[in-house]
Amino acid sequence: MTEALDLDTAVQAAAERLHTALVENQPCAPIRDLIGERDITLAYAVQQRLNAHRLDAGATVVGRKIGATSAAVQRQLGVDTPDLGVLFDDMEYDASAPIDISGLLQPKVEGEIAFVLKADLAEGALELDQVAAAVDYAVAAIEVCDSRIDNWDISFADTVADNASAGGYVLGAERRTLADGFVPKDAAMTMTVTGQDDSVGTGAASLGDPLVALQWLARQARELGDPLRAGQVVLSGALGPMRPAAPGAAVELTIDGLGSVAISFSTKES
């Protein structure tokens, strides 16, 4: 058996382990035993195969998410780069109804700025002015992160392979264009979660500027062969610490200039 075949077998085995955890709603062991802790190429290969299962089942890609944008998280994972995941149409939650926590494994929440695009980011140098011009509007967003890896025992390769630990998201109702004077890097954020310390921060927590995070994503997505497209939603990275989402928890996010959005989680019995 050749080395290439060995690597392909490892990628397939890792993708199947994560897919089984997803469909059976049971966390699995880390996959770094199969592909190593920091091999980004293999990790994205696993992610693509994992996500292919969702596409085969009829899901549609509606956007992307950026992870590991803060220096603290990068230090924790031993890396100096963010990662990206895919958002599917069945991942958006309606804030008007409690999120069914039984459909999640070990959810956590983050407060973020989401961008909705009005133009493709597929051609050209993808400089910051081109990226900013492609933004239709910004909106407050709560990302529901969820790891298929048991007890969030993740290396960088584990979270990349696991679709960047994506679970779902909720968008706020207030939309602001960049032309309105909204400056993402300066926006202050507060997120409250039942029984926990508030999560606070600013747009600068995401690579110094959420627009810089969007630029990174646009370039990386194109490099991976799947550029960002008009109409897609981009979750641009956490503005403050992630918080666990326990059964029955209520979450409220406020971002200056973007208003507030609130969600709640059902109890296990509901």
Side-chain angles (χ1 to χ4, degrees):
M1 183 177 292
T2 66
E3 182 180 356
L5 183 58
D6 287 341
L7 291 177
D8 187 71
T9 300
V11 166
Q12 184 62 29
E16 291 303 321
R17 183 182 296 177
L18 291 168
H19 178 63
T20 298
L22 178 67
V23 298
E24 294 185 356
N25 205 35
Q26 292 291 331
C28 65
I31 52 85
R32 56 184 177 267
D33 63 315
L34 297 169
I35 65 168
E37 291 189 1
R38 294 186 178 86
D39 192 315
I40 296 177
T41 300
L42 289 182
Y44 278 117
V46 173
Q47 183 188 122
Q48 289 170 347
R49 294 198 190 188
L50 173 65
N51 289 340
H53 285 296
R54 298 189 76 158
L55 293 171
D56 290 344
T60 300
V61 175
V62 297
R64 306 292 176 81
K65 63 152 288 183
I66 311 170
T69 52
S70 75
V73 173
Q74 290 181 8
R75 286 194 298 269
Q76 178 186 12
L77 297 177
V79 297
D80 59 0
T81 184
D83 66 350
L84 68 87
V86 174
L87 301 178
F88 294 98
D89 57 338
D90 59 356
M91 293 172 67
E92 183 174 5
Y93 293 109
D94 185 345
S96 66
I99 294 172
D100 182 5
I101 203 165
S102 69
L104 298 164
L105 289 170
Q106 38 197 356
K108 300 183 179 185
V109 290
E110 293 179 338
E112 308 195 10
I113 294 171
F115 298 113
V116 177
L117 302 181
K118 61 183 177 182
D120 294 350
L121 286 171
E123 306 293 338
L126 299 180
E127 297 293 350
L128 203 57
D129 57 350
Q130 178 186 353
V131 170
V135 173
D136 189 6
Y137 58 86
V139 63
I142 298 172
E143 181 181 358
V144 181
C145 303
D146 199 18
S147 179
R148 270 53 64 178
I149 306 297
D150 191 28
N151 200 35
W152 280 88
D153 178 16
I154 56 173
S155 68
F156 190 59
D158 290 308
T159 188
V160 170
D162 187 23
N163 196 27
S165 303
Y169 65 96
V170 179
L171 300 181
E174 187 169 336
R175 302 176 176 183
R176 290 286 301 278
T177 68
L178 302 182
D180 287 337
F182 176 67
V183 181
K185 69 181 178 64
D186 293 338
M189 180 276 295
T190 300
M191 183 179 69
T192 63
V193 183
T194 302
Q196 300 181 50
D197 292 337
D198 292 353
S199 173
V200 298
T202 69
S206 181
L207 294 186
D209 185 340
L211 288 172
V212 171
L214 176 59
Q215 179 188 40
W216 177 89
L217 175 64
R219 290 174 169 175
Q220 185 68 23
R222 184 172 66 179
E223 184 176 326
L224 291 171
D226 191 10
L228 300 180
R229 299 296 184 186
Q232 290 188 335
V233 177
V234 173
L235 302 181
S236 64
L239 307 190
M242 180 187 295
R243 296 292 187 230
V251 182
E252 183 171 0
L253 169 72
T254 300
I255 298 179
D256 287 352
L258 298 180
S260 300
V261 58
I263 61 173
S264 63
F265 290 84
S266 67
T267 62
K268 289 183 178 179
E269 291 76 25
S270 61

